[in-house]
Amino acid sequence: MKVNKLAPEKGARASSLKWRNTKAQRCTTRVNLSELPSTPVMVKMIKVHQAAVKKKPIVKRLERKAMPLSGSKEKKHTSFESEKTYPNTNGKSEVTMNIDADDWQEWSTNGKSSLGNGEKSADGVETVSSGRLEGESFHYCAERDEDRNHAVLVMQKSQTLCFRGKCLLTCLYGRVEVMGFTIEEGQQPYPLFSPASHCPLTVTALGSTDDARDEGMEATAILRKYLTPASQERLLRRINLNSSVVLLEPMETSLTRFLCSFPDLSELFSPPVSELMSAVLDTPLNGLGMIPLVSDVEGLRMSKSYREALNTVVSACRDDGDGSVVVLVCGTKNVGKSTFIRVLLNTLLNHTTGIDYLEGDLGQTEFTPSGCLSLSTVTEPLLGPPFTHQRTPEHMIYYGQTSCDSDLDRYLESMKSLWSRRPKSRDTPVVINTMGWVKGFGFQMLVDLLRLLPVTHVVQLGHGESMHCATLTPDLLQTVQGYLTKPPAHTAMDEFTEGHSPARTYAHLAVQSAFQGVGRQGASKHQRSNELRELSLLAYLSQLQEAHQGPVRQLNCLTPYQVPHTAVAIGVTHCEVAPSHVLYAANASLVGLCCLPEKVTSRGGPVVLSHAPLCPCVGFGVLRGIDMARGLYFLLTPVDPSILRNVNCLLLGAITLPSCILTTQSGCEEEKPYVTTDYSFDLTGAGKMRVFKGIVRPGQVGK
């Protein structure tokens, strides 16, 4: 398969532009600190900032008087307007821009006596330097429109913006890169999520690639749409040969409103405690829900081997003509497999329209709640952690646990079943995620996957000087034992045998992760693995909220579906439960909505399965209540009713509802439903709610 980037339609212009050098001038508009979120973390940050600005500043006086701009006394006045038509990058539509010749002449004249960011003008005043945008830099290169509540940011080539928060980013001119994905002018706005649970996002300016456009007139027309005349003039003087211009807008969705409605998650999109002193306040971006960070805080760090592996896979996808490139990513826990995969998927989307993704990690899934194995087609960039892009896969199997150690056979059968559902004729690249279990049976499972699936590239991540398991080269595969598979038998006459097939081979790429804290689970709030799983499940349940900007409704306030007991079977995936206790265990629990191939038959009561079937899953629901008198299940689910008609099985797994859902039910003045202190350990499945206290195991101390 040969993968090329989609070509623009005939007549379309290139997406990156060449800009002229212009002079920078400080923006006087500052954000009001009262516009910032009033969370405890933000209040503390504001107090630190206000204490710092009370200190007497150091004033550096100019060595000589400022010199007037050359040629600014004379200006030609023309009585015509220049009208030009330019197609967007994607070739979908054309934009007609009416540009006043006087505006363009004034901009062009002033630009001749100015310098770009990072240089000194004739009067000795230093302007914004290249690299990380921080501190006073934002008052030179960013302007905010208070009425429309958005900001325009001008970045020079290789400048970066690292931030916490969330926003919508639109590239107005040039190109920027986020998590490996290139955003060009003319494209749709992209949502960026940079919560405290993951590494902060970094926006990098890539500069221009087109030298043939009339950049000054187009820049004037673009800024005119989003800023006041005074702000336009200040930013136009910041644009130079390789500038990129982005529009930043605040973003509030049903997902973010639902998550932030829980007290423990109200500061999810604020900097964690470890970054409080590195946050930059009093910038035009703060009122939009973004908190820039200084260079002390690292964004995504890529080692040399990291970049080489990305380039090798992308080159293979572009040059492949004999079939799909199948990339299996493996490595021990906390080495950045999920982040690497997101960067890889985003990078591949710069060259192709879609990538198949096979999820094999039960604990940290990318597109679904944990406990699922799935096959998805990725067509949009992933510009945030997994809980920000929950979606329904093409095919999914609910395994019901975060580890497969209790039923290895079911795990392998599920992976083979998902692979068999992928169309044989599809030639898109495939990326396979695996578990962090790489020793003992976990290593044998990796060997089985390499033998069962047509893998062409293996990316093995490690840290330090070790991969923490044997290096999975093709030679090792000829000798090592798997859980189900065995190494091929060889004889001395194999090479002379006519029917002998050569050993399978693939490219092995070793990657050494170099980010801070590699090999250790995050110690800050929202960074532990159990918290990340809860965030993904909460994000899935946020689909129950209304799309418009209305109040958040707790789950006990929503109207459930009524499902007859005789219409669906119910089963447990992870343990043995007495049939008489199954409904007690399933009440107020998360269930997978599955489709059995055979019709469910009932004798008038609930149908209980004796074992967990291997069947497709179309989504999840919360079994809010069970009415034995009327024979009804009460089910909350975001799955479309047209799909629910095919559901005939409810599977209960070990994935439990986050405790915040049960303890923050609105409208409950007395004891909350489903939560009680009056329980008996004599009843199967009874016990108190598990609370994670963050205690480190003795074996993990010092690692």
Side-chain angles (χ1 to χ4, degrees), residues 11 46 65-66 69 75 88 104 241-242 263 268 277 289 313 326 370 385 389 419 431 474 484 581 606 642 663 701:
I46 293 173
K65 294 182 179 180
L69 296 174
K75 184 174 67 172
N88 287 341
W104 159 239
L241 182 65
N242 285 314
L268 179 61
M277 302 306 297
V313 174
V326 181
S370 58
H389 45 252
W419 182 262
V431 177
L484 290 181
H581 292 166
S642 62
T663 57
V701 176

Side-chain angles (χ1 to χ4, degrees), residues 389-550:
H389 45 252
Q390 293 288 294
R391 62 190 64 170
T392 302
E394 292 183 17
H395 305 285
M396 177 169 60
I397 293 176
Y398 185 45
Y399 188 87
Q401 300 181 73
T402 58
S403 176
C404 67
D405 54 357
S406 62
D407 196 345
L408 304 181
D409 296 276
R410 186 164 180 257
Y411 174 85
L412 288 174
E413 289 299 320
S414 299
M415 292 292 286
K416 289 191 294 183
S417 174
L418 290 171
W419 182 262
S420 66
R421 295 175 182 272
R422 181 176 180 267
K424 305 300 181 184
S425 59
R426 186 180 296 179
D427 59 354
T428 55
V430 184
V431 177
I432 304 172
N433 189 20
T434 59
M435 299 176 294
W437 185 21
V438 295
K439 294 184 178 180
F441 284 118
F443 178 76
Q444 294 182 1
M445 303 286 280
L446 280 175
V447 172
D448 286 338
L449 290 177
L450 289 174
R451 290 186 178 138
L452 296 173
L453 305 178
V455 177
T456 61
H457 294 73
V458 172
V459 179
Q460 190 169 0
L461 284 82
H463 64 90
E465 298 182 358
S466 172
M467 287 294 174
H468 304 277
C469 73
T471 305
L472 289 167
T473 61
D475 292 338
L476 179 70
L477 217 61
Q478 301 302 310
T479 59
V480 72
Q481 179 86 17
Y483 175 71
L484 290 181
T485 63
K486 297 180 180 180
H490 295 285
T491 65
M493 297 298 294
D494 278 347
E495 57 181 314
F496 304 105
T497 304
E498 183 176 352
H500 173 68
S501 59
R504 278 189 51 205
T505 184
Y506 50 82
H508 180 269
L509 306 173
V511 174
Q512 290 294 326
S513 298
F515 59 88
Q516 186 177 5
V518 61
R520 302 193 304 270
Q521 182 175 246
S524 300
K525 193 174 182 180
H526 311 310
Q527 294 181 351
R528 302 181 182 93
S529 57
N530 65 305
E531 292 177 296
L532 298 179
R533 288 192 285 268
E534 288 189 353
L535 282 173
S536 293
L537 182 51
L538 287 172
Y540 181 86
L541 295 177
S542 71
Q543 299 175 46
L544 289 166
Q545 301 295 315
E546 298 179 356
H548 60 79
Q549 298 288 343

Side-chain angles (χ1 to χ4, degrees), residues 75-95:
K75 184 174 67 172
K76 294 182 180 180
H77 294 273
T78 312
S79 60
F80 65 88
E81 289 188 350
S82 174
E83 182 174 298
K84 301 188 69 176
T85 301
Y86 296 99
N88 287 341
T89 301
N90 53 14
K92 290 183 178 179
S93 60
E94 294 185 344
V95 180

